[in-house]
Amino acid sequence: MTEFFQLLFSGVALGAVYSLIALGFTVIYRASRVINFSQGAFILVSAYVISWLATDKGVPFFLAVALSIVFAVAVGVAFQLLVLRHLVGRSAFVAVMVTIGASIAMTAAVSAIFGPDQKLLGDPWGSSAVHAAGITFTWVKLWSIIVVAAVLYALYLFDRHSRYGLAMRATASDHIAALAAGVPVGRVHAIAWGMAATLGTIAGMFLAGFPNSPNLGLGDASFRAFPAIILGGLESPKGAVVGGVSIGVVEILTSGYSPGWAGTNFSAVAPYIVMIAVLLAKPYGLFGSVPAERI
Amino acid sequence: MAALARLPVRPGVLAAIVVALVLPFGADSAQLSTCVFIVIAAIGAVGLNVLTGYTGQISLGHAFFLAIGAYTAAVLGGDHGISALIWIPASGLTAAACGLLVGPTALRLRGLYLAIVTLGLLFIGQHLFFNLDGITGGPQGRAFPAVQLGSFDFSPGQQLTIGGAVIDHDGLYYYLALIILLASLLFVRNLVASRPGRAMQAVRERELAGAVLGVDVARTKLMAFGVSSFFAGVSGALFVSYLSFAQPSQWDLLLSIQYLAAITVGGIGTLYGPVLGSIVVFAIPDLAKSLPFISDDGTGLSPGNFSSILYGVLIIIFFVVEPRGVAGLGPRLSAWLRRPGAATTPMGRVAVQSIDQEEAGSR
Amino acid sequence: MARPRPTGPILEARDLTLRFGEVTAFQDVAFAVMPGELFAVIGPNGAGKTSLFNVLSRVYTPTSGQIALDGRDLTALRPRDLAGAGVARTFQNLGLFGPLSVLDNVLVGRHHLMRAGALRAGFGLRSARAEEREHTAAAMAALERTGMADVAGVAVENLAYGDRKRVEIARALAMHPRLLLLDEPVAGMSADERVEITELVRALHADGDLTILLVEHDMGMVMRVAQRILVLDFGRPIAVGSPAEIQADEAVIRAYLGAAPEAATA
Ligand SMILES: Nc1ncnc2c1ncn2[C@@H]1O[C@H](COP(=O)(O)OP(=O)(O)O)[C@@H](O)[C@H]1O
Ligand SMILES: [Mg+2]
């Protein structure tokens, strides 16, 4: 039973990070109907920038995180302004391809600049932990859960009370009508990209924490957050968190209990199997509804 | 002029075919090897173009179908010693069957959801390939059979002398792949200009309007999946046969993305776009090796990183600047050359008249 | 291709209602269209006319009520079955495939009459090519009828709006329908084009077999061609009758604020 709760804790913590990534998808999707396939690259870049500042340049860790957020936001907003802005109104395929293009270019650039070896994150938590009832609660994981809760609350406040939150909801429901009503759609999109970049940086920080470290495979976590947004529906922040946590728990529990016949590393594909099973039953996710088409 | 007009292909295409036919005699071994990879990849890209280009369904799972073809070749040709005349089409058919199998899941989904599900298919497939040691050799990989036709095989060292011309191992694969590529292009050319091809494009443009006109949308998508997977399977089988060795890690997302890059850079939804795009995308890694700032030993930019950065940037540039890809550069260039002053083309019949007049003038 | 003409109504709606959540597109609509009739549906913007067409072409499923084609439940059909059942339509906002040529757009309308699958077409078998020739001829004939044959090779996205509408009508005709649904066929057209299309609709109807359901804001056209008219106002049917009856109907005049019918175009 202790083992189960240990795995459950790890699963929830991993799920919390998936939730951050999934929220990053949701924020952009809601504002611009784009699924950002470059979210993983933002995670990767951020983790390496934090590592470089904190371990090579001796910048205090949280300042390094803050600077990395600034950098990621700048890249995200620049990408929106320089590239995606010119593609508004084109098919979903175009945005998918362009964000994939950005993703492989950014990932290769990180590999070229920092080399293939893994790095040290330079975080203050390391492997430190509290122990209770036979379970090890590492501080990195505890903090990831706390931060996700805080981020979710902040997003909720933004959504309800900020003028841009309202603008974002308007843009999401009808882009053309929002433009006509004077909503600064371009700025709304840029803000969404900035928010997603911030979420990606925080996710990157936690993903690279103990027992992991900054390495070139870090961005792959974003692919495992896809099942999360499919489960939760692309548009619902709450769904992103529910989906993210479910996927994290499924992944960690299968890593602990998967039968031998399922093959090595089965836990990495378990989220996709869950996703496909769910989609067979509910083609638009657990919380999504069939989009009414107009003609 | 009259004789040219009667040909089934345009003069430019004919010239390209002639160049492709004599190419092995002007290329060194390394260059020819690059060309073999390009031609083999182009077969798979022509297939993906049917699904993504003409039918508008985004698939990130193309590498999965390439792998299915590859392992079909391994089992039939390698483990059972069956002739290439059987395993080449069988690779396509097995992949097509897999395409039809996963189709029903995919059909229920549109656009972005389909992209994510095909991504799941890719990862689940890779998991299977890593673990089905008996077929795939597990993580270490396995050997693949050379093409064997009767008593003659295409393995390294073999050569064929026709008249005075000597065709070596690379040349043999080159011509085999070229013949299959040309046949694929012919098939797709016929397909897209007929009932099923029009249905595919109707689904791409406006699914619902197509349905109201009597198009069976689900069936059309499934068919596109099948055709696309067939060409992927054939391409995958030829690829590993030429390489003679492959590991499960090769069937990864980057491979799928390279194919998507090939069709978008070449000109999505155009007949020859996938071929042009394959030349650009699949030649980059080999060309990169000869650049001064590229090195394999870790001191400079590695060819792999350089290629990835270039694919990524090319995809972005083409979508922003010339969505029709390389195939669109020709018309753009000729339009620019012909009427340097005309910034806007009048719409509708006026534009048509001018085309008619041009055609009349050139006769 | 003479089809047996059923004696009952070709199309019959009873208590038909369609809601989108809180929004009611139309409610309690009832009418019967006889074979060979030219029946018009009019009403201000947002009255629910296009939604009614969407129900008839199975894009939407009615919330309640019955709708029957040849006396059989229409909701049992899927959208793609309608072409085979002899129903063709045009779309108010155009349902054309932009990059495809005019001819290819019309040939999509022949889809349900053709047979070639991927293999026969891909291998270019003689049967597939013969079929292609035969249906191209039929498509060209439909294009002749709407005066668009000379631009058959042009991509639809390069045509002017009025010409696109003609292509849509040609495509619907090429489907060889018994029941033709026209959603605002002359909207956005010049005065000359309106006259031409009005004449075309009249001629199509005069040919005999075709039943036409027409939605149009151009009251001049409606009054000239329609045999009977259904008036919708905010989703409710307020009158059905001949053009003369409708022009004299109190409720209709009130719905249009007492203005001359022509002003309802705005
Ligand atoms: N898919 C849909 N979802 C929600 N509301 C719709 C939808 N389609 C139509 N409506 C609503 O139904 C009403 C009738 O619209 P419509 O049928 O287009 O009217 P008309 O063609 O008479 O102008 C309008 O209020 C419109 O907003
Ligand atoms: Mg309408």
Side-chain angles (χ1 to χ4, degrees):
Chain A
M1 222 41 204
T2 318
E3 191 200 350
F4 174 80
F5 284 112
Q6 180 70 65
L7 289 173
L8 193 62
F9 170 67
S10 298
V12 171
L14 180 62
V17 178
Y18 286 164
S19 303
L20 282 178
I21 304 172
L23 282 170
F25 288 127
T26 305
V27 165
I28 291 179
Y29 185 81
R30 288 218 299 168
S32 59
R33 302 285 140 184
V34 166
I35 289 194
N36 170 22
F37 276 79
S38 63
Q39 183 78 341
F42 277 92
I43 289 169
L44 181 69
V45 168
S46 303
Y48 272 83
V49 170
I50 294 174
S51 156
W52 175 68
L53 288 172
T55 61
D56 282 15
K57 296 287 156 218
V59 176
F61 183 73
F62 289 104
L63 181 58
V65 172
L67 290 174
S68 178
I69 288 178
V70 171
F71 178 71
V73 168
V75 174
V77 172
F79 184 61
Q80 158 64 30
L81 293 181
L82 296 177
V83 177
L84 287 172
R85 193 161 55 98
H86 302 287
L87 302 174
V88 167
R90 303 266 292 276
S91 74
F93 173 73
V94 173
V96 169
M97 282 307 296
V98 165
T99 55
I100 284 180
S103 176
I104 53 176
M106 281 161 75
T107 306
V110 168
S111 164
I113 294 168
F114 293 101
D117 303 327
Q118 54 182 27
K119 304 281 172 198
L120 292 172
L121 182 61
D123 62 314
W125 304 301
S127 61
S128 65
V130 286
H131 301 270
I135 300 172
T136 306
F137 299 93
T138 53
W139 278 110
V140 180
K141 291 189 171 136
L142 284 173
W143 275 112
S144 64
I145 296 170
I146 295 166
V147 167
V148 170
V151 164
L152 198 60
Y153 187 63
L155 275 180
Y156 170 80
L157 291 181
F158 176 83
D159 213 33
R160 292 294 131 189
H161 300 296
S162 144
R163 152 172 97 87
Y164 284 107
L166 180 66
M168 244 177 217
R169 274 182 285 153
T171 316
S173 72
D174 191 341
H175 173 181
I176 306 290
L179 257 182
V183 171
V185 169
R187 204 178 307 164
V188 165
H189 288 178
I191 288 174
W193 273 83
M195 285 166 67
T198 307
L199 291 165
T201 308
I202 300 172
M205 173 183 76
F206 285 123
L207 275 174
F210 181 82
N212 219 332
S213 58
N215 67 77
L216 292 175
L218 221 50
D220 294 353
S222 72
F223 296 131
R224 287 202 284 282
F226 280 133
I229 50 170
I230 295 293
L231 290 187
L234 283 168
E235 297 192 47
S236 146
K238 227 177 287 164
V241 173
V242 172
V245 172
S246 318
I247 289 299
V249 170
V250 165
E251 183 177 333
I252 297 291
L253 287 184
T254 38
S255 78
Y257 296 115
S258 87
W261 55 260
T264 46
N265 231 350
F266 178 66
S267 61
V269 292
Y272 294 103
I273 293 174
V274 172
M275 170 183 88
I276 288 176
V278 167
L279 284 178
L280 279 175
K282 303 204 69 181
Y284 294 93
L286 290 176
F287 307 111
S289 54
V290 184
E293 261 182 288
R294 286 203 180 200
I295 192 153
Chain B
M1 265 338 242
L4 271 185
R6 243 181 280 124
L7 279 173
V9 291
R10 277 180 282 144
V13 176
L14 191 72
I17 293 176
V18 171
V19 169
L21 283 174
V22 301
L23 191 135
F25 300 100
D28 67 29
S29 164
Q31 288 166 337
L32 184 54
S33 174
T34 302
C35 293
V36 177
F37 283 122
I38 289 172
V39 176
I40 290 175
I43 298 167
V46 167
L48 183 61
N49 192 39
V50 170
L51 181 64
T52 302
Y54 286 108
T55 318
Q57 309 299 304
I58 315 170
S59 170
L60 293 169
H62 210 55
F64 171 77
F65 297 107
L66 292 159
I68 296 291
Y71 292 122
T72 306
V75 170
L76 294 182
D79 300 346
H80 292 97
I82 293 169
S83 159
L85 283 178
I86 308 272
W87 65 247
I88 292 176
S91 299
L93 291 174
T94 314
C98 287
L100 298 180
L101 220 63
V102 300
T105 316
L107 294 185
R108 314 180 56 163
L109 308 165
R110 281 199 198 138
L112 299 168
Y113 280 85
L114 181 64
I116 292 173
V117 166
T118 51
L119 184 70
L121 176 70
L122 181 92
F123 289 133
I124 292 170
Q126 246 195 335
H127 177 74
L128 290 176
F129 301 142
F130 268 111
N131 286 285
L132 296 173
D133 301 38
I135 296 171
T136 66
Q140 290 78 34
R142 67 164 290 161
F144 288 86
V147 168
Q148 186 143 22
L149 301 169
S151 60
F152 187 79
D153 78 72
F154 282 29
S155 42
Q158 281 282 357
Q159 55 183 40
L160 184 68
T161 314
I162 301 174
V166 178
I167 303 171
D168 65 0
H169 161 71
D170 296 315
L172 287 168
Y173 271 98
Y174 178 81
Y175 283 115
L176 177 65
L178 189 63
I179 289 166
I180 295 176
L181 174 61
L182 292 175
S184 310
L185 285 170
L186 201 59
F187 183 92
V188 172
R189 191 181 79 161
N190 288 337
L191 182 70
V192 297
S194 60
R195 173 181 184 262
R198 280 189 298 267
M200 284 164 22
Q201 294 169 78
V203 166
R204 176 190 67 197
E205 294 300 319
R206 280 159 170 255
E207 210 175 293
L208 204 51
V212 172
L213 294 165
V215 172
D216 185 339
V217 173
R219 194 193 164 100
T220 302
K221 286 185 191 171
L222 206 56
M223 188 189 69
F225 249 101
V227 171
S228 162
S229 307
F230 178 88
F231 288 122
V234 171
S235 172
L238 289 174
F239 177 63
V240 291
S241 172
Y242 180 60
L243 268 180
S244 81
F245 188 85
Q247 293 176 326
S249 58
Q250 281 172 267
W251 316 112
D252 64 356
L253 181 60
L254 187 62
L255 187 62
S256 288
I257 291 173
Q258 285 177 338
Y259 278 90
L260 282 168
I263 62 170
T264 50
V265 167
I268 192 151
T270 63
L271 183 59
Y272 300 107
V275 181
L276 298 172
S278 296
I279 295 173
V280 175
V281 167
F282 293 97
I284 287 176
D286 284 344
L287 290 181
K289 285 184 192 135
S290 58
L291 291 173
F293 53 92
I294 303 291
S295 80
D296 238 339
D297 56 13
T299 55
L301 195 53
S302 76
N305 283 336
F306 172 76
S307 313
S308 291
I309 293 173
L310 205 55
Y311 299 144
V313 172
L314 278 179
I315 291 174
I316 295 172
I317 289 179
F318 271 103
F319 270 119
V320 174
V321 179
E322 179 49 82
R324 288 171 301 174
V326 177
L329 294 180
R332 173 177 280 216
L333 192 68
S334 61
W336 182 78
L337 286 176
R338 251 185 246 151
R339 21 171 83 197
T344 53
T345 338
M347 283 184 42
R349 293 179 189 187
V350 187
V352 179
Q353 271 166 7
S354 67
I355 290 170
D356 288 346
Q357 281 156 6
E358 274 163 26
E359 271 179 6
S362 66
R363 265 186 219 119
Chain C
M1 287 293 264
R3 290 184 172 107
R5 181 174 281 194
T7 45
I10 185 169
L11 192 67
E12 187 171 16
R14 252 180 270 138
D15 308 329
L16 205 60
T17 300
L18 176 70
R19 291 198 179 86
F20 301 101
E22 302 287 290
V23 181
T24 300
F26 55 79
Q27 94 186 63
D28 300 328
V29 171
F31 60 87
V33 181
M34 299 309 288
E37 197 173 12
L38 203 165
F39 189 90
V41 181
I42 63 170
N45 270 327
K49 307 178 297 292
T50 297
S51 300
L52 180 63
F53 269 26
N54 282 337
V55 165
L56 294 179
S57 50
R58 292 295 295 115
V59 177
Y60 297 153
T61 297
T63 314
S64 63
Q66 285 93 45
I67 177 96
L69 180 70
D70 296 326
R72 275 191 296 263
D73 182 15
L74 184 82
T75 56
L77 301 179
R78 294 161 296 188
R80 69 176 150 92
D81 298 328
L82 285 164
V87 182
R89 74 173 284 186
T90 65
F91 298 89
Q92 181 179 358
N93 298 316
L94 298 175
L96 293 170
F97 313 113
L100 270 64
S101 71
V102 166
L103 177 61
D104 279 340
N105 267 277
V106 176
L107 277 169
V108 175
R110 304 289 294 180
H111 184 87
H112 70 288
L113 300 169
M114 299 174 75
R115 287 290 149 263
L119 295 182
R120 268 209 277 165
F123 289 119
L125 298 193
R126 188 175 310 197
S127 63
R129 280 180 298 161
E131 183 184 69
E132 192 71 19
R133 269 196 302 277
E134 177 196 331
H135 288 272
T136 301
M140 287 307 296
L143 283 169
E144 295 282 358
R145 209 123 197 214
T146 61
M148 295 301 291
D150 54 332
V151 290
V154 181
V156 159
E157 62 199 3
N158 294 329
L159 294 183
Y161 188 75
D163 288 347
R164 295 186 198 195
K165 299 213 86 148
R166 288 167 184 259
V167 174
E168 266 221 326
I169 297 173
R171 184 173 70 183
L173 291 179
M175 291 171 74
H176 198 78
R178 287 182 302 145
L179 174 61
L180 177 62
L181 313 176
L182 298 172
D183 198 348
E184 306 204 12
V186 303
M189 284 189 167
S190 71
D192 288 348
E193 285 176 318
R194 281 168 187 249
V195 173
E196 275 180 54
I197 296 299
T198 305
E199 279 319 304
L200 174 65
V201 171
R202 221 214 284 257
L204 288 172
H205 182 233
D207 284 354
D209 276 346
L210 195 60
T211 310
I212 298 177
L213 212 61
L214 171 73
V215 163
E216 189 44 71
H217 273 311
D218 185 326
M219 287 304 153
M221 173 180 189
V222 171
M223 294 304 164
R224 225 168 304 141
V225 300
Q227 294 170 314
R228 281 197 306 145
I229 299 172
L230 166 71
V231 187
L232 290 181
D233 187 33
F234 292 109
R236 284 169 200 279
I238 54 171
V240 187
S242 69
E245 287 163 359
I246 292 298
Q247 272 167 319
D249 191 286
E250 299 261 319
V252 176
I253 293 168
R254 231 179 300 121
Y256 284 106
L257 296 170
E262 211 75 33
T265 313

